[in-house]
Structure formats: structure tokens, C-alpha cells
Amino acid sequence: MDPKLGRMMLKEWVAIESDSVQPVPRFRQELFRMMAMAADTLQRLGARVASVDMGPQQLPNGQSLPIPPVILAELGSDPTKGTVCFYGHLDVQPADRGDGWLTDPYVLTEVDGKLYGRGATDNKGPVLAWINAVSAFRALEQDLPVNIKFIIEGMEEAGSVALEELVEKEKDRFFSGVDYIVISDNLWISQRKPAITYGTRGNSYFTVEVKCRDQDFHSGTFGGILHEPMADLVALLGSLVDSSGHILVPGIYDEVAPLTEEEINTYKAIHLDLEEYWNSSRVEKFLFDTKEEILMHLWRYPSLSIHGIEGAFDEPGAKTVIPGRVIGKFSIRLVPHMNVSVVEKQVTRHLEDVFSKRNSSNKMVVSMTLGLHPWIANINDTQYLAAKRAIRTVFGTEPDMIRDGSTIPIAKMFQEIVHRSVVLIPLGAVDDGEHSQNEKINRWNYIEGTKLFAAFFLEMAQLH
Amino acid sequence: MDPKLGRMMLKEWVAIESDSVQPVPRFRQELFRMMAMAADTLQRLGARVASVDMGPQQLPNGQSLPIPPVILAELGSDPTKGTVCFYGHLDVQPADRGDGWLTDPYVLTEVDGKLYGRGATDNKGPVLAWINAVSAFRALEQDLPVNIKFIIEGMEEAGSVALEELVEKEKDRFFSGVDYIVISDNLWISQRKPAITYGTRGNSYFTVEVKCRDQDFHSGTFGGILHEPMADLVALLGSLVDSSGHILVPGIYDEVAPLTEEEINTYKAIHLDLEEYWNSSRVEKFLFDTKEEILMHLWRYPSLSIHGIEGAFDEPGAKTVIPGRVIGKFSIRLVPHMNVSVVEKQVTRHLEDVFSKRNSSNKMVVSMTLGLHPWIANINDTQYLAAKRAIRTVFGTEPDMIRDGSTIPIAKMFQEIVHRSVVLIPLGAVDDGEHSQNEKINRWNYIEGTKLFAAFFLEMAQLH
């Protein structure tokens, strides 16, 4: 595989404004062009390609737009080999030169070994690295060491519209022969050291409504004689977490997986420049001082964040209102082996308890509006071992074994529907700026990433 | 004074769409027409009238509109008589038939003895009642028992733009001979029993900002390692008031005027139908069960209301944001003899104390953005005694001696700048619906109110 060719293709792909976030016909056309170009590339590699019609997307304004097709492609069906399915997406976040881009976001531009362009790292570059790796075997006229499948969508940045239904439908068809699923849609936590991601936190999102009446009051006319909903709500929200970040909901830590010596060692092995981390996040001081504590509290311990209040006065200036009905919002990031429905019960019981002690005449309603389970993989699975060995071969180092403090719904979705081992093998560096201005992928990451995927195929063949 | 003529004039005045809230040329022209009509009416009564040019109003959008003139008028200058100055305004709140008006808001319409129309009770009706009272003496060819001055503006609903500067400038000119100031711009607290208002609460409005950094965080990426500003803010706001409405800021009750037996008796004498009050306010239960406690907590005790939070997530839906910088807003309604700057110090010290105990690395800034003193008058002042006697004469009853839980800035302004006794003599009933749809003044209130003002002139002459 000629690196120049790989860069040319990335340039060609980045040039397509495949923005799925802004629901306008122009971008939707670009998305269809993008998916057609990818289907063509895969066909020329010799894959059997199906472009699945996904029907229309209903927009909130009542109109609809066509959803770009999802590509399901297969290369090889040797029953003696393992089958690896690669998930990727070719849609991008919006990008506008006026927002602070130093180069045209849709013209891949190399500066000091960095390839700038929207989608360069999220996710066009990694998709192409995988395709490049396959092409390399083709160019060398070698048999592929594994059977390869692709599922490539064009709506990830818009919430993977309709993808889950497709995966559900293809569970026993396209996915029936799949042994392993690889996603490469996140980043290392370092500039130079590769990583493998084996877990994400889940999330349970709560609303707590306190209502006196639907209308607001004037604080001059009613201040002093009401059980004010805001006073109740502030007390409820204030009962959730202490100033050290410890969650005060009784029982919430009961099911958190015990910490093993082996796990502690994975944190110790990770290189994290705290100074650099503080600076880049522009935070003066974290709750914890050591790398290990910070990583554990982002990845393996639950956290509770209060997001805001709906229905109160939220604008600049001074308004003497007593809000009549307010809705507090907070969420708990869940970790293995916390259970969404147990957490829902614990939080509800706790808030009811706090509220009843206030003897308020207001009405309180607690709702869990979102419940996403945490995800964790077995890092001794075949494909984890293969990925580690491939990283050793290409980069000459052990990978950082990392988790993600956020939920990556796609990983959890594949695990829950397809029941196969899922691994996240990121290619991009921590400073790639996905979703922000001046997104880039390093030339080095793109090329070594291609090599890594090729080496991964070989390792999979040996270990399977 | 012929009641028919009085109603005709009110009809003519209500027909003018003198909306000062919506800053558009059409309404501004109507305001100028309104003020010219009033000046003409006063001139025909024999008053010396000055229409003071108030210059332009600068709008937030950079444009400007002319402020309608303020009318300064004088009737009589007998040095042996007392001089009473009447303040009123002729601008109105916006009104649109589509908002739920049962009749055209700008066509005064009588239904069951109620005169519906925008401005009928706030404040065109009471201004005309005063004018009608003066006309009555003219019609009877009697000398006015007191010298009368008028200050009538057209921007009250928009915050009395530029009025304070004018009052300051006229302090030793127009106001030099004034002994008493009468305002009739609020309501009774009953449907049938007249009232005199002798005090209002003040207000100190606070913001408390907690900042980690200017940008928000993603709760997946940072949840668990931050001193989250919302957790700090919720704790700060939660430290202000308990579930029984008691303010927890140390020292805050120290200067509250002691309750006297005489004062308790004024609350006892007031007729307040609690059942009706509950129903009309659509509140299931107040903090207090008795009329006396409710009135005292609205009028003579301070109250603290939390208004909301700026900078947090305040929209419908679920957003997993950790706000980086949030501003809590609350205010304390002040009562005699609380002092604005003492309260500012007490609140600031209290919040600093609570915050320091949290050991948070965030920055907190407390600001008092508004400080309005409470106002209370001496109810044994000549004009209070005159108003009481006039009410006895016209209504055959003692008035409710009431206060207002809100601030009436105009009362405080006259007291502070002109240093004269100020009395509020409302004419309208509690259900007049000022500022809302279907505003009305009862025919009875309008006529008896006119008589009340005439009787007041006579009593003033006797007592002065």
C-alpha cells in the first residue's frame, strides 16, 4: 500500500461535506455521494457490497429527509478463518471556516506532519486505515488472514438514526458469521502511545420535578408564605453529592466492582502527564492528585453531575419570580456492576426520603429518563490479545489499556444485540480535536494505524 | 360632577392605546396623544400646565424613541392652604384581544357594573377620579379646600424612564410648596372594603457566581474528578432558607421592627377570606394557617426567594453537561428597619463561610445587584388621618390599613428625594386584574373613589 495513495484517498473523502448534523438537502446529497464512493472503493477491493436503504428521517419540523444507506460488505468467507467485522462512519460534525479553522475544513491540508480536515480522525481516517490494510494484502497478492466484514454508516453524528433496527434485523444474517467486532472511533489518551479501549461507563439520567402550581408567582406578592419549589429542589439536589464528589444516595456504591491488584497495575502503566492534563483542561485543581485516582474516578467509579434546572429564571438580569414548577436534572455515570434499575430505585427512594422530611405541600416527581448500562469487555479475549501483540509489533510498546468515562452507545449496542466480543482500537492522538475546529490526524498515526490493522489481521489468524 | 361625564372621559382615555412597554413608534404616538389630552383636560379645569420634554429613550437595539412628556400642573396657590400633589400615570401594559380578552381592551365596556378596558384601574381610572373630584368643586363653584398639584407620567409600566432625574431637578421648584404626596396606583386587598397603604417591603437582589472555567465540560469526560460548580452552587443556595421559610443568614432578623400590640390589631381588623385567597392563588397550602400570620409574613417579615440559575442547562430534554460557570439568583424582601448595606454584608459573609467549608477549588463571587429600602409611613400623619376620615364618610367603614409585600419604587422615590409624607390610597378592588386580561374597574369603585378624593380634600383642609 503506497502511503501517497492512502493520503490521496483521505483527501478525496474529506473533500465531501458529509455533515449529518445539519438536516438540509445539500448535506444529505453529499452523504449519499460519500456512501456511494465508499461502496465503490470496497467493490474495487473485491468485496460483496450491499447498500441498505434506510428509509426517511422524520425531522421535528414535520418534514423528512432520506437517510444515507448503510454499507454492509464482506470480503472472504473461509469457514476455517475467523471473521472480524469493522464498524465505522463517514458522516462528520459541521465545520465552517469562519468558526476558527486555520485551513479549509474540507481540503485535507498537511502542516508539520498533521493532516487537517473535518473527519480526518473522526472517522474517515480510521475507516480508510482499515481499508488500506486490506488493500495492502491485495497489493501483495496475499490471502487475507481473516474474513472481513464492514458495517459503515452515515448518521453517527446524528445519533446513528435507524442503525439499531438494522443491526437487530441483520443479527442472524449479516452478523451470524461474525466472531469479533472492531470499532476505531475514539482516541488515545496520549500523543504518542497507542491504546485499547475495553470499557465505558453507562449513564442514568434523572429529572426531579417540584410543583406548587403551573404559573409562577411574584416574589413581592407571595414571598414569605409559600413552600417555594426552588427551595425544595435546591435541597433535593444538594442531598445528592458531597463536596468531595462522593455520592450520598444510600447503597449506590454497593455493586461497584471491587478493585483488583491487576486492575491497579493497568492504571499505573498508563502514561498521563498531569501537568499537561491540567493545562489542556484549564482546570486549576481536580478532586484528586494522582494519575491513578483520576483515571479510576473517570472510568471505574460512578460520578454524579447536576446539569441544571428547567422552569426557573435562567436569563441574564434580575427577575423577582418565584418559579411555580421546576425540574432539576442530574445524571449518574454507572460502572460495572451497577444495575440501571437498582440505581433508579435507590435514587427515587433517597429523594422521596429527603422530600418527606421537608413537610412541603408541593408535589415531587422523580423520573429516570435515560438508562444506559456500563460496558466492559474481557481483556483476555482473543482479539484483545491479538490487538496487544499487533501494537507491540508495530509500535514496539505495550498499549495503554483504557476505558471511556462516557458511554459509547454503538459498542454497547453491538454487545447487547449481536453478543460478540467488541474491541475499540483507536488510531488518533489525544489532541486530534474531534468535533472541534482544526480536527486533524497525524500522518504518522494514519500510516502506523494502517500497519496496526494489517498486523492485527495476522495476529487474529494465529490466535483464532 | 355627572357620573356619566366621568364614564365618558374614562371611555375616551381607555380608547388610546398608550402602551409604553412595546417600544414602537405607533404606541409612542398614542402616548403623546394621551398626554396632550390629559394636559388639555387639566387646562380646561383651570390648572397651569407644563408638559416637560423628557428627551429620547435609548433602546437596547441602538435606536431611540421620544419619551412622552411628564405633566406638571398646579391648581391654586393659597399659602394658607395645604398643598397635595397627586402622582399618576397614563401609560398601560400591552393588551391584545387574542390573549383572552372577552371585550376589546381599548373599548371601555360595562358588564354587570364592571368597566372593562386596559388601563381602567391601572391607572387611568384613579387619575380621572382625582380629576373628577376637582371638577366637582369647580362645577359647584366652590373653592378648592387645598392647593392641588399633579405629576402625571407616561412611562410607568416601562420603569418610569427618566422620572427620577426630573423629580430631583424639580425638588426645590415644583415640589417646594408640596406638603403631601398621594398615589393611587395599587389595589385594595378586598372586593368591597377600602384600604390605605402605608408601607412596602424593599428588596435586595443577589447573584452568586461559582466558576471553574468559562467553558462547560462533558460529564462523561470529566464527571468524577471536578469540584463541579453546580454542586457548590446548590449547596450555597440550599444554605439560605429552611423548609419553614426561615432565613438562615446569621443576624438577618436582628433589625426587624418589633411587633407591637397596635400593629397586631391592624392585621386582626383586616378582612381576608382565606378560603377565597387559597382558591384564587391556586395554592394548596401556605406556610401559615391564620390571616394574621399570612399578612405579617407578606408585609412585616423578610422573605427569601431563589429565582433561578444562569449558565446551567435550562432547556427541555437531557444534556450531559457539567456547567463550567453558573450564577445563582435570589433576593430578600426587606422590612423596617433592615438596612440594605448591612444585609449585603450579612449575606456575603454567610455565603463565604459556607463556601470556604467546602474546600472547593472554584471561585465564588457574591454581588448585590439591586438594593431597595423598605418604605413605611407614619400612619398618624395628617394626611393618613384625613384619608381615614374621608373613607369613613364615603364608605361608612374603617379602611384596611395595609402594606405591600412588593416594592413600589415611586413611593420610596418621592419619600427619599422630596422628603414629604407619601400615602397610597387605592381605589380598585382586589380582583381588578391590573396587568392581566380583562382588566376592569367597578363602576361603584370609580364613583365612590371620586367621592373619596373630594372628601379627602375637605378633611385635609380641616386637619392641616
Side-chain angles (χ1 to χ4, degrees), chain A residues 116-357:
Chain A
Y116 288 94
R118 175 55 89 218
T121 198
D122 181 17
N123 186 227
K124 291 175 178 177
V127 172
L128 274 172
W130 188 273
I131 290 175
N132 294 341
V134 174
S135 309
F137 285 92
R138 286 274 180 267
L140 297 168
E141 294 181 9
Q142 285 187 10
D143 260 4
L144 276 168
V146 284
N147 302 315
I148 305 258
K149 293 196 175 190
F150 293 87
I151 174 167
I152 300 181
E153 67 158 324
M155 290 297 280
E156 198 269 348
E157 303 293 0
S160 293
V161 182
L163 186 69
E164 188 166 339
E165 293 83 335
L166 177 71
V167 172
E168 191 66 61
K169 218 166 62 183
E170 294 290 339
K171 185 169 61 173
D172 300 319
R173 297 192 299 201
F174 179 78
F175 288 105
S176 69
V178 170
D179 299 302
Y180 310 99
I181 295 170
V182 175
I183 301 171
S184 179
D185 193 21
N186 61 328
L187 300 174
W188 301 347
I189 60 161
S190 140
Q191 301 231 15
R192 297 287 295 180
K193 197 166 167 219
I196 296 173
T197 303
Y198 66 99
T200 66
R201 290 196 289 190
N203 199 13
S204 53
Y205 202 102
F206 288 88
T207 62
V208 49
E209 176 184 295
V210 180
K211 175 175 160 178
C212 177
R213 67 174 194 189
D214 278 318
Q215 290 92 338
D216 292 341
F217 300 86
H218 186 278
S219 71
T221 319
F222 282 95
I225 62 167
L226 292 181
H227 292 107
E228 300 193 8
M230 273 297 277
D232 284 340
L233 182 58
V234 158
L236 290 164
L237 296 176
S239 76
L240 294 169
V241 61
D242 72 13
S243 59
S244 67
H246 191 81
I247 304 174
L248 300 171
V249 176
I252 200 88
Y253 290 98
D254 289 356
E255 302 301 319
V256 173
L259 184 62
T260 64
E261 198 61 38
E262 186 196 3
E263 192 188 327
I264 294 182
N265 289 333
T266 65
Y267 303 123
K268 286 192 179 151
I270 290 171
H271 175 75
L272 180 72
D273 183 338
L274 279 184
E275 197 71 32
E276 155 62 21
Y277 187 52
W278 278 320
N279 290 341
S280 69
S281 55
R282 275 156 300 144
V283 171
E284 200 163 297
K285 204 171 169 339
F286 290 116
L287 285 169
F288 306 99
D289 295 324
T290 68
K291 173 186 73 180
E292 288 79 4
E293 280 176 306
I294 287 176
L295 293 177
M296 287 193 291
H297 282 89
L298 287 175
W299 295 346
R300 65 110 53 232
Y301 288 121
S303 65
L304 189 148
S305 297
I306 302 168
H307 307 299
I309 295 171
E310 184 185 337
F313 175 56
D314 51 46
E315 284 165 50
K319 186 176 177 185
T320 52
V321 65
I322 299 173
R325 173 175 166 266
V326 286
I327 305 171
K329 301 186 181 183
F330 63 94
S331 66
I332 302 177
R333 293 279 167 182
L334 307 179
V335 296
H337 304 290
M338 293 168 83
N339 177 288
V340 167
S341 51
V342 171
V343 167
E344 179 177 18
K345 282 196 200 79
Q346 289 169 333
V347 168
T348 306
R349 198 180 315 127
H350 170 68
L351 289 176
E352 281 169 355
D353 195 39
V354 172
F355 189 67
S356 75
K357 288 195 182 117

Side-chain angles (χ1 to χ4, degrees), chain A residues 201 203 205 207 212-213 215 217-228 230-239 241-245 277 280-288 293-295 297-298 301-323 329 331 333 357-359 361 363 369-370 404-407, chain B residues 201 203 205 207 212-213 215 217-228 230-239 241-245 277 280-288 293-295 297-298 301-323 329 331 333 357-359 361 363 369-370 404-407:
Chain A
R201 290 196 289 190
N203 199 13
Y205 202 102
T207 62
C212 177
R213 67 174 194 189
Q215 290 92 338
F217 300 86
H218 186 278
S219 71
T221 319
F222 282 95
I225 62 167
L226 292 181
H227 292 107
E228 300 193 8
M230 273 297 277
D232 284 340
L233 182 58
V234 158
L236 290 164
L237 296 176
S239 76
V241 61
D242 72 13
S243 59
S244 67
Y277 187 52
S280 69
S281 55
R282 275 156 300 144
V283 171
E284 200 163 297
K285 204 171 169 339
F286 290 116
L287 285 169
F288 306 99
E293 280 176 306
I294 287 176
L295 293 177
H297 282 89
L298 287 175
Y301 288 121
S303 65
L304 189 148
S305 297
I306 302 168
H307 307 299
I309 295 171
E310 184 185 337
F313 175 56
D314 51 46
E315 284 165 50
K319 186 176 177 185
T320 52
V321 65
I322 299 173
K329 301 186 181 183
S331 66
R333 293 279 167 182
K357 288 195 182 117
R358 292 182 61 80
N359 285 317
S361 58
K363 297 272 167 288
T369 58
L370 187 77
D404 198 312
S406 316
T407 311
Chain B
R201 290 195 288 191
N203 199 11
Y205 202 102
T207 61
C212 177
R213 67 173 195 191
Q215 290 91 340
F217 300 86
H218 186 277
S219 71
T221 320
F222 282 95
I225 62 167
L226 291 181
H227 291 107
E228 301 192 8
M230 275 296 278
D232 283 341
L233 182 59
V234 158
L236 290 165
L237 296 176
S239 76
V241 61
D242 72 14
S243 59
S244 67
Y277 187 54
S280 70
S281 55
R282 274 156 299 143
V283 171
E284 200 162 299
K285 203 172 171 338
F286 291 116
L287 285 168
F288 307 98
E293 280 176 307
I294 287 176
L295 293 177
H297 282 90
L298 287 175
Y301 288 120
S303 65
L304 189 149
S305 297
I306 302 168
H307 307 298
I309 295 171
E310 182 185 340
F313 175 56
D314 50 46
E315 285 164 51
K319 187 176 175 186
T320 51
V321 65
I322 300 173
K329 301 185 180 182
S331 65
R333 293 279 166 183
K357 288 195 182 117
R358 292 182 62 81
N359 285 316
S361 58
K363 297 273 166 284
T369 59
L370 188 75
D404 198 311
S406 314
T407 310

Side-chain angles (χ1 to χ4, degrees), chain B residues 170-303:
Chain B
E170 294 290 339
K171 184 169 60 173
D172 300 320
R173 298 195 297 202
F174 178 79
F175 289 104
S176 69
V178 169
D179 299 303
Y180 310 98
I181 295 171
V182 176
I183 302 171
S184 179
D185 193 22
N186 60 328
L187 300 174
W188 300 347
I189 59 161
S190 142
Q191 300 229 17
R192 298 286 296 182
K193 195 165 169 223
I196 297 174
T197 303
Y198 67 98
T200 66
R201 290 195 288 191
N203 199 11
S204 53
Y205 202 102
F206 287 89
T207 61
V208 48
E209 175 184 297
V210 180
K211 176 175 159 179
C212 177
R213 67 173 195 191
D214 279 316
Q215 290 91 340
D216 292 341
F217 300 86
H218 186 277
S219 71
T221 320
F222 282 95
I225 62 167
L226 291 181
H227 291 107
E228 301 192 8
M230 275 296 278
D232 283 341
L233 182 59
V234 158
L236 290 165
L237 296 176
S239 76
L240 293 169
V241 61
D242 72 14
S243 59
S244 67
H246 191 80
I247 304 174
L248 300 172
V249 176
I252 200 88
Y253 290 99
D254 289 355
E255 302 301 320
V256 173
L259 184 61
T260 64
E261 200 60 40
E262 186 197 4
E263 191 188 328
I264 293 182
N265 289 334
T266 65
Y267 304 123
K268 285 192 179 151
I270 290 171
H271 174 76
L272 181 72
D273 183 339
L274 279 184
E275 197 72 30
E276 154 63 20
Y277 187 54
W278 279 319
N279 290 341
S280 70
S281 55
R282 274 156 299 143
V283 171
E284 200 162 299
K285 203 172 171 338
F286 291 116
L287 285 168
F288 307 98
D289 295 324
T290 69
K291 172 186 73 177
E292 289 79 4
E293 280 176 307
I294 287 176
L295 293 177
M296 288 194 289
H297 282 90
L298 287 175
W299 295 346
R300 65 108 53 232
Y301 288 120
S303 65

Side-chain angles (χ1 to χ4, degrees), chain B residues 330-345:
Chain B
F330 62 95
S331 65
I332 301 176
R333 293 279 166 183
L334 306 179
V335 296
H337 307 290
M338 293 169 82
N339 177 288
V340 167
S341 51
V342 171
V343 168
E344 179 177 19
K345 282 195 200 80

